[in-house]
Every structure is written in C-alpha cells, then in structure tokens.
Amino acid sequence: MATRSLRVVNTETPLSKLIQPSPGFEKKRLAHDHLDMVQLCEFGCTYCSTNSGYPLRMNREALADLTEEQLGERLYPATSPELTIRWSNVVAKLEAQLAGKPKRWGKGRVLVVSQLTDPLSPGLLATGIPEAVLRLILERTSFTIRLLTKSAAVLTPRILQLILAHPDRFLVGLSLGTLDDGWAKRVEVNTTPPRGRVHAIRALQDAGAQVYGMLCPIFPHAAAAARVVEARRRFLLHPRPIRSWWIRGNDERECVTVGDLRAMGVDVPASVPADGYIPRRAVHFGPLGRAGFQPIRFSTVVGVRFSEPFWIETAVRA
C-alpha cells in the first residue's frame, strides 16, 4: 500500500475538554491523562485501533456525510488510509479548559500527546496547531508531556527547540515495529519510514532530549523482530542510552518471547523457558521514575495471563 495524497476533512471537536483522564494508559504505566488534536490522523496505519474505536464507529455515517460534503465522495477510515479528519477549534477548546486551572495543575502527572492519533504528522504540523498546543500546556500547566509519534517531524526546528528548552517537561518517543521500510510502507501508510525514525531517535539522543523506546507493535516476523532488537541494543550503547522501553507484540498473535526479552537485556529468571511467550500483550521495562509509578518485578508476572501491559524493572545490559 503506497503513500497517497491526503484527503482532509475539517470539523469541530465534539469534546468539551481536550485533556482527559486515560485509564488505559495509566494501567500501562504510560500516562495519567491524554490529549488528541485530530479525530483521525494522516498516518493510515492498517492495524490502528482508532479506526474501529468507539468515537469513529458511532459517528461512522455522520463523518462519511462530511467527507461527501467536503470531498465529493463517501470515505471511511477503515478503507481510506489517505483520509484525515482535523478539528479546527482545538486551540480555542484547550484555552477554554485551561482558563480555570491553576499553573500547578498536572504536577506529578504525565500527559500523553497523543494516545489515539499522531500529534506531529507533517500536514497537521503545517497548521501550527501542535506547537500552539504544546506551548499552552507548558505555559499554563505543570504536566510532564509524553510525546508519542511515528514522525521524524519531531526534529522540525521549532518543535525540537521547544523540547530542548524544557528538558524536564518532555519525554519523547518514536514507535518502531520493524526496520523494514518496504514492509512499513504497506502497513504504516504515510508515516516516516522506520529508518527515518531511527535517525530521529539518535538525533534526539545527541541533542540531549529525554528519549524513551517504543517497540510497538512488533510484527510477527522473526527476522524483522531481530533487527528491531539490534536497533535497541545500539540505542543502549549511545552515550545517553535509552533505558525506558515499552514493548508490545502485534495483537494477532503472541509474538514476544522470553528469549526475545533476554536478548533485549531483560533480567528474566533462569527458571523461565527461553521459548515461552509473554501472553499476547505487552511488556515495558525500565522504571518510569519521574511519573511516580512503582515498577514491578518480572518474576511477578511471568506465566500470568494479564489483560493490560506492565512496566517491568530490570537491569539493562548494553
């Protein structure tokens, strides 16, 4: 599936508040709250759960009416990866929400930007909305911002300067599931190719930003997974190594093995079989630290079927 020209639909967000609690991400120890700037981002990843999530599913025909009105044809997220649905009133909505909040709001909490959509896709970045939103959060709240993206546009000077000017407020990550640019082009439509994301991660490390690793989703192909593991090893060898990692297998199968985790540097007990699978979900290792979460030991979850991913404390080996 090749990169396609964007088809942009503009509407207003139906949300009364942009910053909302994130019970799912809090269980995963990723964040306490989340903020999304669009309803459907321009990265048409075929595995994205947002496309079939409750908001788009419940408003499927109403949004198709919008595409027909603005673009001349009915388009649906599941079959049109070139479609993006933007909210025109994001900045105004955020300003209204923050108007009644003290500057200390968010202190000790992590806000993920973004949970359901990508906050730094090139088309959205060109509107100026991401920069305006990030500045409002920095100036009017005390949240730690966890930037999560698949876009090397994080290196855009005005965004990078913002990150480096507030090193204690940003945690920055670019997710990887493969290093095969050809494979990614078929399933992660319009995203920065994986090798471009690797370059961006290294550039962020070189610049001194707080960077976390996101191997998600790891596609169920042994060779591809091995290359991702090797990329993680190289990031660890950097003078400013990434010691906080989130790992998630593709939901279609249990594709993260105990052997994989050992190769990645997880201190797995010797009694656990090397060919054992982590039950279909996800593993994060490295303490979240500043967010105040207490990590748990790997030995407490091995062999247990859990419905949500965990943060796991481990000795990280280069």
Side-chain angles (χ1 to χ4, degrees):
M1 191 177 295
T3 300
R4 302 178 183 180
S5 299
L6 287 180
R7 308 293 301 279
V8 181
V9 169
N10 292 291
T11 186
E12 293 191 346
T13 176
L15 300 175
S16 59
K17 298 178 180 179
L18 282 181
I19 296 178
Q20 300 192 356
S22 178
F25 266 41
E26 186 163 6
K27 287 180 181 178
K28 299 171 185 178
R29 308 293 204 269
L30 279 169
H32 302 90
D33 305 279
H34 76 98
L35 180 153
D36 283 86
M37 304 182 207
V38 296
Q39 185 151 18
L40 181 67
C41 81
E42 62 197 66
F43 291 162
C45 300
T46 59
Y47 54 77
C48 183
S49 59
T50 299
N51 294 349
S52 57
Y54 181 81
L56 287 178
R57 189 172 69 251
M58 294 304 295
N59 295 287
R60 184 174 185 269
E61 295 306 322
L63 292 172
D65 289 343
L66 272 179
T67 69
E68 188 169 27
E69 177 185 323
Q70 296 184 25
L71 303 175
E73 58 182 315
R74 297 184 75 79
L75 300 176
Y76 298 92
T79 55
S80 302
E82 71 277 15
L83 178 64
T84 181
I85 303 174
R86 293 179 186 162
W87 290 329
S88 58
N89 60 336
V90 165
V91 175
K93 280 278 187 173
L94 182 58
E95 287 178 331
Q97 181 178 9
L98 298 182
K101 301 290 185 182
K103 176 67 169 69
R104 65 178 181 276
W105 186 51
K107 187 173 180 60
R109 298 179 69 85
V110 176
L111 173 69
V112 63
V113 181
S114 295
Q115 176 178 313
L116 302 174
T117 56
D118 199 291
L120 295 179
S121 53
L124 179 63
L125 198 60
T127 67
I129 291 174
E131 183 182 2
V133 165
L134 292 174
R135 288 189 181 279
L136 278 171
I137 297 168
L138 290 169
E139 294 168 3
R140 306 270 291 276
T141 81
S142 294
F143 282 103
T144 294
I145 301 169
R146 181 183 291 280
L147 270 182
L148 174 57
T149 182
K150 290 184 183 294
S151 177
V154 69
L155 299 179
T156 301
R158 63 181 187 273
I159 298 298
L160 182 58
Q161 289 166 10
L162 202 59
I163 292 169
L164 297 181
H166 302 85
D168 60 330
R169 297 285 303 278
F170 279 98
L171 305 168
V172 188
L174 288 89
S175 61
L176 290 166
T178 178
L179 293 185
D180 186 329
D181 286 354
W183 168 257
K185 188 175 183 179
R186 295 195 296 273
V187 297
E188 296 179 334
V189 184
N190 294 329
T191 65
T192 297
R195 295 187 185 280
R197 283 176 249 164
V198 169
H199 168 76
I201 292 170
R202 289 174 177 159
L204 288 164
Q205 286 181 289
D206 291 342
Q210 289 195 77
V211 185
Y212 65 95
M214 175 73 80
L215 306 184
C216 173
I218 299 178
F219 298 109
H221 301 282
R227 287 193 290 271
V228 173
V229 170
E230 172 60 19
R232 178 190 176 274
R233 189 187 71 81
R234 292 181 180 178
F235 293 141
L236 280 171
L237 293 175
H238 190 277
R240 295 179 59 88
I242 303 173
R243 297 194 180 278
S244 183
W245 290 82
W246 173 259
I247 305 173
R248 184 176 184 125
N250 186 305
D251 285 341
E252 295 301 316
R253 59 172 295 242
E254 299 173 356
C255 61
V256 180
T257 70
V258 171
D260 290 334
L261 294 176
R262 285 199 176 109
M264 294 175 186
V266 177
D267 189 15
V268 184
S271 60
V272 180
D275 59 352
Y277 282 105
I278 300 303
R280 198 179 177 88
R281 298 295 182 183
V283 176
H284 173 278
F285 54 94
L288 187 57
R290 293 172 58 258
F293 291 113
Q294 294 299 314
I296 59 176
R297 292 287 178 181
F298 185 86
S299 57
T300 65
V301 296
V302 168
V304 177
R305 291 207 165 267
F306 47 87
S307 60
E308 292 290 346
F310 287 89
W311 295 92
I312 291 177
E313 184 179 24
T314 177
V316 182
R317 300 191 300 270

